[in-house]
Amino acid sequence: MSWNTFGRILRFTTWGESHGPAIGAVVDGCPPGLALAEEDIQPFLDARKPGQNKFTTQRNEPDAVRILSGVFEGRTTGTSIGLLIENTDQRSKDYSEIAKSYRPGHADYAYDAKYGLRDYRGGGRSSARETAMRVAAGAVARQVMPEVTILAYVAEIGGDAIDPGNFDADEIARNPFWCPDAAAAKRWEALVDEARKAGSSLGAVVECVATGVPAGWGAPIYAKLDADLAAGMMSINAVKGVEIGDGFGAARLTGEENADAMSPGEDGPEFAANHAGGIAGGIATGQPVICRVAFKPTSSILTPVDSITREGEATQVRTKGRHDPCVGIRGTPVVEAMMALVLADHKLLHRAQCG
Amino acid sequence: MSWNTFGRILRFTTWGESHGPAIGAVVDGCPPGLALAEEDIQPFLDARKPGQNKFTTQRNEPDAVRILSGVFEGRTTGTSIGLLIENTDQRSKDYSEIAKSYRPGHADYAYDAKYGLRDYRGGGRSSARETAMRVAAGAVARQVMPEVTILAYVAEIGGDAIDPGNFDADEIARNPFWCPDAAAAKRWEALVDEARKAGSSLGAVVECVATGVPAGWGAPIYAKLDADLAAGMMSINAVKGVEIGDGFGAARLTGEENADAMSPGEDGPEFAANHAGGIAGGIATGQPVICRVAFKPTSSILTPVDSITREGEATQVRTKGRHDPCVGIRGTPVVEAMMALVLADHKLLHRAQCG
Amino acid sequence: MSWNTFGRILRFTTWGESHGPAIGAVVDGCPPGLALAEEDIQPFLDARKPGQNKFTTQRNEPDAVRILSGVFEGRTTGTSIGLLIENTDQRSKDYSEIAKSYRPGHADYAYDAKYGLRDYRGGGRSSARETAMRVAAGAVARQVMPEVTILAYVAEIGGDAIDPGNFDADEIARNPFWCPDAAAAKRWEALVDEARKAGSSLGAVVECVATGVPAGWGAPIYAKLDADLAAGMMSINAVKGVEIGDGFGAARLTGEENADAMSPGEDGPEFAANHAGGIAGGIATGQPVICRVAFKPTSSILTPVDSITREGEATQVRTKGRHDPCVGIRGTPVVEAMMALVLADHKLLHRAQCG
Amino acid sequence: MSWNTFGRILRFTTWGESHGPAIGAVVDGCPPGLALAEEDIQPFLDARKPGQNKFTTQRNEPDAVRILSGVFEGRTTGTSIGLLIENTDQRSKDYSEIAKSYRPGHADYAYDAKYGLRDYRGGGRSSARETAMRVAAGAVARQVMPEVTILAYVAEIGGDAIDPGNFDADEIARNPFWCPDAAAAKRWEALVDEARKAGSSLGAVVECVATGVPAGWGAPIYAKLDADLAAGMMSINAVKGVEIGDGFGAARLTGEENADAMSPGEDGPEFAANHAGGIAGGIATGQPVICRVAFKPTSSILTPVDSITREGEATQVRTKGRHDPCVGIRGTPVVEAMMALVLADHKLLHRAQCG
């Protein structure tokens, strides 16, 4: 079936296809009395917006969000918040050939196998266009928890990683890659441009750090903070892996190496390290919550790949539309949004049970 | 808050602490008319059972499961299935010192920060003992989908990986490590024994493969098959990372390398590769569903680690109880169980919408 | 908190205020491949639409629904269906005095007590305008179960009941009261007109009958068909009571009188009576599902009633806006819609577990 | 499917059949730090317990509850609370004939139509025995909200109602009918005894009043306090109708009669009446929350009733087992429990969103 709702207390539901008239979201369970206007949401959408430089798809959408309900005189009312973005640059013609055959690596075949039909225009519902509404909902989530700061950045493109020694948070907004390492950003420019020109694509790793999360958020056993983050991140288009803290690296450490020793601090314990990524037993420890997310390379490439038609005949597919050479780049604001949505939900969950 | 239920249609709810009188689960939404007896569940519990060799904790529990409801004359009735295991070997005394201070790497501090109190006996609810009930529930899930076969094995311990060329499924049950590579199993024997003797611990990577999953299972957008797997796996104690298919490796491939080309086959398409791990757009493609799970090293080690007391004073903690030198080993049947639970739930979800 | 979603498999979420720019709904979990167009939904909205005669509010809304997603080439795709109706006749000025004081019988005080603020324009989210989206969602639900026919009608206004002996289904659409008894309709014309002129209002009882529901739909114990119907009906504005079958009348019968005797029939049992209203143990028996719903009189009346201001001072409130003298009349299509939504959801729930 | 969980934040899940080895519940989401022991639960179970006098079934169960998890050193830990009651007096033999044919008015036929098989021993899962676990869970819910007092009583048996002028809360515990009117209790003794001797049965109406519920609890639109109460009450065995406040009586009032006028009071408004039953727009107004529940007469009667066998042949059924001549009597503590469970859940829901 389809399941377009995420969250437990702060829930959002999205709708809309890549080439339909509009996309939208309903954010439910938001506390009343929070300041909220379109201006609080739009900057995050602008950050994700396509067509901003040659490293992202040339589809050109203003992505102007409208708040249609749930806000009165500039404050949330506690009722459901209706958000809507009109699709303006749809160019359905680009996709006419796709109707007949399945693009390898895309969801085309799987959707057809599931539903017996599919909206083939730009991937329909399976398009990453849906993530615009996550970014919008994420902006609402941020209003719910002003105590938390979230920062996501690209840590690796095409296997070329940033040097942690070069980390500069201010650098992130200065380059088109959300890259905190100026030297890496320079290298990536060549790398991504080369892939783009070759009609190829590259994968990426995005890291996300949330500071200010108080110890105690999280809901064992099956709504663990890390489990909800894993679900949220893995639900993003093109994501194939999620790590908390050291992640797979922790599997290569000994117990002594991996232990985050504690000592008395001003406000609760001080930790000697954060291998755990700020989560133990599914509950926040008060350290920064750290998540790493692997994006596969964009499946839409100019190189022809063997495939089949809807009738099961052999064919070759070469995706000509407008595509990102590295979806991980535009995925970065989406990772931030999902982090915000999971944390804000857990703030409310914690308050429900623990007052 | 706490959230002890997993699943959407086939749901299970667990209860019980490491050192309480019993642990249990309720499995709800199971189809009627399936053959189910304690003998269908017990073998999976025996596989997970502690105390079987020197590489796992010496806690000795028979883990005999009882079906208390939902089955009549050997068949499921469609009503809620009550499962119960009595705790017999609790030795609460081992843990008396733990009451006063927090074990680094454990959930002790986080639980206390959240709830203001905790059951410190053996970790209470945060103990991996809870996973016994997942294994029991997983055995029910297997009955729901006889068409699917699930196999999990340890692919790496302490950074020492199996050689895929040596893969032999029959080997898995022949060694205490669920290792499909006889040569690796031999190396791990020394490795784990050394860690055990040193009072240290090791991490591990577990792989899980499900064959027979038909194309179409999965529920976009927020109950994607991979998102639910990520949540389920990340909710297992000590897990810090989850990958689907090539996972983080996919982030280092180009679009051409990562494409799973399709050609006409007997029953649906044949795929030239399975980088996607059998899932596209959150929906099964008909290929084997492949998941990799990273377990951190056991946090309970004999080496003293700096910590604090409940009163916030500096202390050192050295965990003397009975522990696994590598929790990933006993986590293997739990990974299998979670795979079964997610897939069986999605079988029913798919049927609900698509008939 | 707020909770704007109803259903388990076929779920819908509504948003929008009485005097906001638009109202909307997202219908999720709908099976793919069903024929669906705006023309399938509009007639049900037209039936509920205000301003059609002097017995309903003179607010004049075209209530033209747009399908914004989830349908492709005339068929549902299985993805979330976005529905939207623009508010065109809002006249916010009518309500300016209401901002300062609470209308007795309305939700004004309760919303303010809960949220600390409220959208006072026409009741904001608490307005019955929200039910337009239930009617729209209900039209989708009908497409899900062509085997079921639903008929609601007004059985009583202001204590004046229909005569079952006069029941004529064809009569229902012929009068402005959804009344199946021509004689009663005539009486009600005078009754309701008198109340309207006096600035008073009347309560009503609506009955709803669903035929074609197969034995077996329903989900014990906490998603019983009757429990879900009770929740759905009680969630409609102004509803204060729900009965299944004989309802409170059954409390006055003996066991012999209340027994629905069975005898062998062509397709399953024949029943000698239907005191049970088609539901036993929360599961459909195959008989018509019968539900009765009590609507209180409209709270908006011209007679001044004692009340308090937001500051807690004594005042009197007299509601001048445009209102229905009997909300039960326009509630009838909403009752039908909720019946459709509950039954369609249970069709899918049944299929999920029982194939 | 089956759905054995109720609630949103404070959730409980029940399992167990009338004649299985035990019945149980898991209460999840309970706040930590509350005093809870078996002694807090047992009195409520004793009140519901069968076999206490000739007016209730002679089945003799001690119904001794055990807390198996979620409580440590006398306090709730915030984790899932496992509750268990062993079935001791099962006498399966009484029901051997029932296996072959369907008892009219019971869920026998509906369960079989749904699941294709059923546990026929004492009604299996459809037995009112399940309600014992609601009473146990309800006792936990009471600990969650010490500010609220709940009182249920029988207001009518076999059509003979109490006289409100005779209402004496102290009388309720003094007679076997939970009757607050001593004169009515005397009449009912003859009435119920007569029905019992005749092998017949009677219906009843139960009223439930909760005082101390603060204005603001409740969750519009689809988790309205009254909608959740309606669902909870309607899910109780044998219930066919639910009213809030004046219920169906409100449908016979004019708007002036039905208005609950407000005036300034010490703590919030004073209300001149409570036609609304303490709920407006799905949210508590601060007045007592009032609910009325209709129980049909027990379906198990000695008078033979026409029915069919599993093979579809005509037969007659006469239920010989041990049964209540009026299930509404023993339903009274269950109504109280459901009121407690709904209100406690809404306390936590309100806190989640509104702090």
Side-chain angles (χ1 to χ4, degrees):
Chain A
M1 62 178 305
S2 71
W3 201 281
N4 295 282
T5 301
F6 187 87
R8 298 163 197 275
I9 298 286
L10 187 77
R11 282 150 289 135
F12 70 99
T13 302
T14 68
W15 55 267
E17 279 85 46
S18 174
H19 287 59
I23 57 174
V26 188
V27 181
D28 203 358
C30 182
L34 304 178
L36 187 69
E38 278 133 8
E39 299 80 66
D40 296 310
I41 303 175
Q42 197 61 49
F44 297 101
L45 284 164
D46 291 346
R48 179 201 161 280
K49 198 166 65 175
Q52 304 197 98
N53 57 58
K54 64 181 175 182
F55 306 111
T56 59
T57 171
Q58 292 310 296
R59 175 168 174 160
N60 188 3
E61 292 279 6
D63 277 0
V65 71
R66 291 176 62 204
I67 301 176
L68 295 178
S69 70
V71 174
F72 182 59
E73 297 180 344
R75 303 249 152 216
T76 57
T77 60
T79 63
S80 47
I81 301 170
L83 304 172
L84 187 134
I85 295 172
E86 284 183 55
N87 287 332
T88 56
D89 181 21
Q90 303 161 17
R91 297 203 209 166
S92 281
K93 279 167 289 180
D94 288 350
Y95 293 94
S96 53
E97 256 178 70
I98 298 305
K100 298 181 206 141
S101 43
Y102 302 123
R103 294 169 298 169
H106 277 280
D108 297 351
Y109 169 69
Y111 266 69
D112 218 346
K114 180 172 194 65
Y115 295 122
L117 82 177
R118 68 187 167 100
D119 178 350
Y120 47 75
R121 301 165 305 164
R125 183 67 182 153
S126 72
S127 163
R129 179 126 191 82
E130 186 268 347
T131 62
M133 295 321 303
R134 306 189 192 206
V135 170
V140 179
R142 286 169 202 259
Q143 302 295 93
V144 175
M145 43 165 206
E147 66 269 49
V148 173
T149 304
I150 300 174
L151 187 71
Y153 49 89
V154 179
E156 190 180 316
I157 288 186
D160 181 7
I162 58 169
D163 177 350
N166 286 349
F167 189 98
D168 176 2
D170 294 334
E171 186 60 30
I172 294 171
R174 284 195 209 117
N175 61 70
F177 305 110
W178 310 107
C179 179
D181 169 352
K186 209 163 179 69
R187 297 195 306 271
W188 294 353
E189 201 167 317
L191 199 64
V192 177
D193 206 34
E194 185 181 5
R196 184 181 64 82
K197 285 177 183 159
S200 180
S201 63
L202 298 168
V205 175
V206 174
E207 283 180 11
C208 187
V209 180
T211 50
V213 178
W217 291 6
I221 302 290
Y222 296 108
K224 285 180 171 173
L225 189 50
D226 38 359
D228 279 4
L229 281 171
M233 298 304 173
M234 196 68 95
S235 75
I236 301 172
N237 305 50
V239 169
K240 301 303 283 186
V242 183
E243 296 181 315
I244 304 296
D246 281 9
F248 280 83
R252 282 130 210 168
L253 300 178
T254 64
E256 298 87 80
E257 292 164 340
N258 187 61
D260 295 330
M262 287 184 273
S263 59
E266 296 277 303
D267 306 309
E270 275 182 20
F271 291 87
N274 189 11
H275 297 286
I279 304 175
I283 302 175
T285 62
Q287 292 214 84
V289 172
I290 300 172
C291 187
R292 278 167 56 89
V293 181
F295 285 84
K296 69 177 183 183
T298 319
S299 296
S300 299
I301 49 177
L302 281 172
T303 315
V305 182
D306 286 344
S307 186
I308 59 171
T309 65
R310 285 203 78 192
E311 282 68 41
E313 303 294 310
T315 186
Q316 279 206 326
V317 173
R318 185 170 163 269
T319 315
K320 277 164 286 183
R322 299 153 296 167
H323 299 287
D324 289 295
C326 174
V327 282
I329 300 171
R330 284 184 51 224
T332 306
V334 184
V335 166
E336 264 197 15
M338 292 309 298
M339 176 68 91
L341 286 156
V342 168
L343 289 174
D345 190 26
H346 273 279
K347 175 180 179 173
L348 303 187
L349 271 169
H350 180 66
R351 180 155 96 177
Q353 189 182 24
C354 299
Chain B
M1 61 178 307
S2 71
W3 202 282
N4 296 281
T5 300
F6 187 88
R8 297 164 199 274
I9 298 286
L10 187 76
R11 282 149 292 134
F12 69 100
T13 302
T14 68
W15 54 267
E17 280 85 47
S18 174
H19 287 60
I23 57 176
V26 187
V27 180
D28 203 358
C30 182
L34 304 178
L36 187 69
E38 281 133 6
E39 298 82 65
D40 296 310
I41 304 175
Q42 197 60 48
F44 296 101
L45 285 164
D46 292 346
R48 180 201 161 278
K49 197 167 64 174
Q52 304 198 100
N53 57 57
K54 65 182 174 181
F55 304 112
T56 60
T57 171
Q58 293 308 296
R59 176 166 174 161
N60 188 1
E61 293 280 4
D63 277 0
V65 69
R66 290 175 63 203
I67 300 175
L68 295 179
S69 70
V71 174
F72 183 60
E73 298 181 340
R75 302 251 152 214
T76 56
T77 60
T79 64
S80 47
I81 301 170
L83 302 172
L84 188 134
I85 295 173
E86 285 183 53
N87 287 332
T88 56
D89 182 21
Q90 304 160 16
R91 300 204 209 166
S92 279
K93 277 168 291 180
D94 288 351
Y95 293 93
S96 54
E97 256 178 70
I98 298 305
K100 297 181 207 141
S101 43
Y102 302 122
R103 295 169 299 169
H106 276 279
D108 297 352
Y109 169 70
Y111 265 69
D112 218 345
K114 179 173 194 64
Y115 295 122
L117 82 175
R118 69 188 164 102
D119 178 350
Y120 47 75
R121 300 164 307 164
R125 182 68 181 152
S126 72
S127 163
R129 179 129 191 80
E130 187 267 349
T131 61
M133 295 320 304
R134 306 189 191 205
V135 171
V140 178
R142 286 169 201 260
Q143 301 296 95
V144 174
M145 41 164 206
E147 65 269 51
V148 173
T149 304
I150 300 172
L151 187 70
Y153 49 89
V154 180
E156 189 180 316
I157 288 185
D160 181 8
I162 58 169
D163 177 349
N166 285 348
F167 190 95
D168 175 2
D170 294 335
E171 185 61 28
I172 293 171
R174 283 194 209 118
N175 61 69
F177 305 110
W178 309 107
C179 179
D181 169 352
K186 207 164 179 72
R187 298 195 306 270
W188 293 353
E189 199 165 322
L191 198 65
V192 177
D193 205 33
E194 187 182 3
R196 185 180 65 80
K197 285 177 182 159
S200 181
S201 63
L202 298 168
V205 174
V206 174
E207 282 180 12
C208 187
V209 180
T211 50
V213 178
W217 291 7
I221 303 287
Y222 296 109
K224 283 179 173 174
L225 189 51
D226 37 1
D228 279 5
L229 281 171
M233 298 305 172
M234 197 67 96
S235 75
I236 300 173
N237 306 52
V239 168
K240 302 302 283 185
V242 183
E243 296 180 316
I244 303 296
D246 281 9
F248 280 83
R252 282 132 211 166
L253 300 179
T254 64
E256 299 85 82
E257 292 164 340
N258 188 60
D260 296 330
M262 287 185 273
S263 58
E266 297 275 305
D267 306 310
E270 272 182 23
F271 290 88
N274 190 10
H275 296 286
I279 303 175
I283 303 174
T285 62
Q287 291 214 83
V289 172
I290 300 173
C291 187
R292 278 167 55 90
V293 181
F295 286 83
K296 70 177 182 182
T298 319
S299 297
S300 301
I301 49 177
L302 281 172
T303 315
V305 183
D306 286 344
S307 187
I308 58 170
T309 65
R310 285 204 78 191
E311 281 69 41
E313 302 293 311
T315 185
Q316 280 206 326
V317 173
R318 184 171 164 270
T319 313
K320 278 164 286 181
R322 299 154 295 167
H323 298 286
D324 289 294
C326 174
V327 282
I329 300 170
R330 283 183 54 223
T332 306
V334 183
V335 167
E336 264 196 15
M338 292 309 298
M339 176 67 92
L341 286 155
V342 168
L343 289 174
D345 190 25
H346 273 279
K347 175 180 179 173
L348 304 188
L349 271 169
H350 180 65
R351 180 155 94 178
Q353 189 182 23
C354 300
Chain C
M1 61 177 307
S2 70
W3 201 281
N4 296 283
T5 301
F6 187 87
R8 300 164 195 276
I9 297 287
L10 186 78
R11 281 149 290 132
F12 69 98
T13 301
T14 69
W15 55 267
E17 280 86 46
S18 173
H19 287 60
I23 56 174
V26 188
V27 181
D28 202 358
C30 182
L34 304 178
L36 187 69
E38 280 132 8
E39 298 81 65
D40 296 310
I41 304 176
Q42 197 61 49
F44 297 101
L45 285 164
D46 292 344
R48 177 201 163 280
K49 198 166 65 174
Q52 305 198 98
N53 55 59
K54 64 181 172 179
F55 306 110
T56 60
T57 172
Q58 293 308 299
R59 175 167 175 161
N60 188 1
E61 292 280 6
D63 278 0
V65 69
R66 291 176 63 204
I67 300 175
L68 295 178
S69 70
V71 174
F72 182 60
E73 298 180 342
R75 303 248 152 219
T76 58
T77 60
T79 64
S80 46
I81 301 170
L83 302 173
L84 187 133
I85 295 174
E86 283 182 56
N87 287 333
T88 57
D89 181 22
Q90 303 161 19
R91 298 203 210 166
S92 279
K93 279 168 287 179
D94 288 352
Y95 295 93
S96 53
E97 256 177 71
I98 299 305
K100 299 181 205 140
S101 44
Y102 303 123
R103 294 169 299 169
H106 275 280
D108 297 352
Y109 169 70
Y111 265 70
D112 218 346
K114 180 173 195 67
Y115 295 122
L117 82 175
R118 68 189 166 99
D119 178 350
Y120 47 75
R121 303 165 305 164
R125 182 70 181 149
S126 71
S127 163
R129 179 127 191 82
E130 187 267 347
T131 61
M133 296 320 302
R134 306 190 192 205
V135 171
V140 179
R142 287 169 202 258
Q143 301 296 93
V144 174
M145 43 166 204
E147 65 269 50
V148 174
T149 303
I150 301 173
L151 187 71
Y153 49 88
V154 179
E156 190 182 315
I157 287 186
D160 181 9
I162 57 168
D163 176 350
N166 286 348
F167 190 97
D168 175 3
D170 293 335
E171 185 61 29
I172 294 171
R174 285 195 209 117
N175 61 71
F177 305 109
W178 309 106
C179 178
D181 169 353
K186 207 160 180 71
R187 296 194 308 269
W188 294 354
E189 202 167 317
L191 199 64
V192 176
D193 205 33
E194 186 182 3
R196 185 180 63 82
K197 286 175 183 161
S200 180
S201 63
L202 299 167
V205 175
V206 174
E207 283 180 12
C208 189
V209 180
T211 49
V213 178
W217 290 8
I221 301 292
Y222 295 109
K224 285 178 171 174
L225 188 50
D226 37 2
D228 279 4
L229 281 172
M233 297 304 172
M234 196 68 96
S235 75
I236 300 172
N237 305 49
V239 169
K240 301 302 281 186
V242 183
E243 296 180 315
I244 303 296
D246 282 8
F248 279 83
R252 281 129 210 170
L253 300 178
T254 63
E256 299 86 81
E257 291 164 341
N258 188 61
D260 295 330
M262 286 184 272
S263 59
E266 296 276 304
D267 305 311
E270 273 181 22
F271 290 87
N274 189 11
H275 297 285
I279 304 175
I283 303 173
T285 62
Q287 292 214 84
V289 172
I290 300 173
C291 187
R292 277 167 58 88
V293 181
F295 286 84
K296 68 176 182 184
T298 319
S299 296
S300 300
I301 48 178
L302 281 172
T303 315
V305 182
D306 286 345
S307 186
I308 59 170
T309 65
R310 285 203 77 191
E311 282 67 42
E313 302 294 311
T315 187
Q316 280 205 324
V317 173
R318 185 169 163 270
T319 314
K320 276 163 290 182
R322 299 154 296 166
H323 299 288
D324 290 295
C326 174
V327 281
I329 300 171
R330 283 183 53 225
T332 306
V334 184
V335 167
E336 264 197 15
M338 292 308 298
M339 175 68 90
L341 286 155
V342 168
L343 289 174
D345 190 26
H346 273 279
K347 175 180 179 174
L348 304 187
L349 271 168
H350 180 66
R351 180 156 94 178
Q353 189 183 22
C354 299
Chain D
M1 59 178 308
S2 71
W3 202 282
N4 296 281
T5 300
F6 187 88
R8 297 164 198 274
I9 298 288
L10 186 77
R11 282 148 292 134
F12 70 98
T13 302
T14 68
W15 54 267
E17 280 84 46
S18 173
H19 288 60
I23 58 175
V26 188
V27 181
D28 203 358
C30 183
L34 305 179
L36 187 69
E38 279 134 6
E39 297 82 65
D40 296 311
I41 304 175
Q42 197 61 48
F44 297 100
L45 285 164
D46 292 346
R48 179 203 161 278
K49 197 165 67 174
Q52 303 197 99
N53 57 57
K54 65 181 172 180
F55 305 111
T56 60
T57 170
Q58 293 308 297
R59 177 169 172 158
N60 189 0
E61 292 279 5
D63 276 0
V65 70
R66 291 176 63 203
I67 300 175
L68 294 178
S69 71
V71 174
F72 182 59
E73 297 179 342
R75 303 248 151 218
T76 56
T77 59
T79 62
S80 48
I81 302 171
L83 303 172
L84 188 135
I85 295 173
E86 284 183 53
N87 287 333
T88 57
D89 180 22
Q90 302 161 15
R91 299 205 210 165
S92 279
K93 277 166 292 180
D94 287 352
Y95 293 93
S96 53
E97 258 177 68
I98 299 305
K100 297 180 206 140
S101 43
Y102 303 122
R103 294 170 298 169
H106 276 279
D108 297 352
Y109 170 69
Y111 265 68
D112 218 345
K114 179 172 194 65
Y115 295 123
L117 81 176
R118 67 187 166 103
D119 178 350
Y120 47 75
R121 302 164 306 164
R125 182 68 182 151
S126 72
S127 164
R129 180 130 190 80
E130 187 267 347
T131 62
M133 295 321 302
R134 306 190 191 204
V135 170
V140 178
R142 286 168 201 261
Q143 301 296 96
V144 173
M145 42 163 206
E147 65 270 49
V148 174
T149 304
I150 300 171
L151 187 70
Y153 49 88
V154 179
E156 189 180 317
I157 288 186
D160 181 7
I162 57 169
D163 176 351
N166 285 348
F167 190 96
D168 176 2
D170 294 336
E171 185 62 27
I172 293 170
R174 285 195 208 116
N175 61 68
F177 304 109
W178 310 107
C179 179
D181 170 351
K186 209 163 177 72
R187 296 194 307 270
W188 293 353
E189 201 167 320
L191 199 65
V192 177
D193 206 33
E194 188 182 2
R196 185 181 64 80
K197 283 177 183 158
S200 181
S201 63
L202 299 168
V205 174
V206 174
E207 283 180 12
C208 187
V209 180
T211 50
V213 178
W217 292 7
I221 304 290
Y222 296 108
K224 285 180 171 174
L225 189 50
D226 38 1
D228 279 5
L229 281 172
M233 297 305 172
M234 197 67 95
S235 76
I236 301 172
N237 305 51
V239 169
K240 302 303 283 185
V242 183
E243 296 180 315
I244 303 296
D246 281 9
F248 280 83
R252 283 131 209 169
L253 300 179
T254 64
E256 299 87 81
E257 292 164 340
N258 188 60
D260 296 330
M262 287 185 273
S263 58
E266 295 276 306
D267 307 310
E270 274 182 21
F271 290 88
N274 190 10
H275 296 286
I279 303 175
I283 303 175
T285 62
Q287 291 214 83
V289 172
I290 300 174
C291 188
R292 278 166 58 87
V293 181
F295 285 84
K296 69 177 182 183
T298 320
S299 296
S300 300
I301 48 176
L302 282 171
T303 315
V305 183
D306 285 345
S307 186
I308 57 169
T309 65
R310 287 203 76 191
E311 281 70 40
E313 303 293 312
T315 185
Q316 280 207 323
V317 173
R318 185 170 163 268
T319 313
K320 276 164 288 180
R322 299 155 294 167
H323 298 289
D324 289 295
C326 174
V327 282
I329 300 171
R330 284 182 53 223
T332 306
V334 184
V335 167
E336 264 197 14
M338 292 309 298
M339 175 69 92
L341 286 155
V342 169
L343 289 174
D345 190 25
H346 273 279
K347 175 180 179 171
L348 304 187
L349 271 169
H350 180 66
R351 179 155 96 180
Q353 189 183 22
C354 299

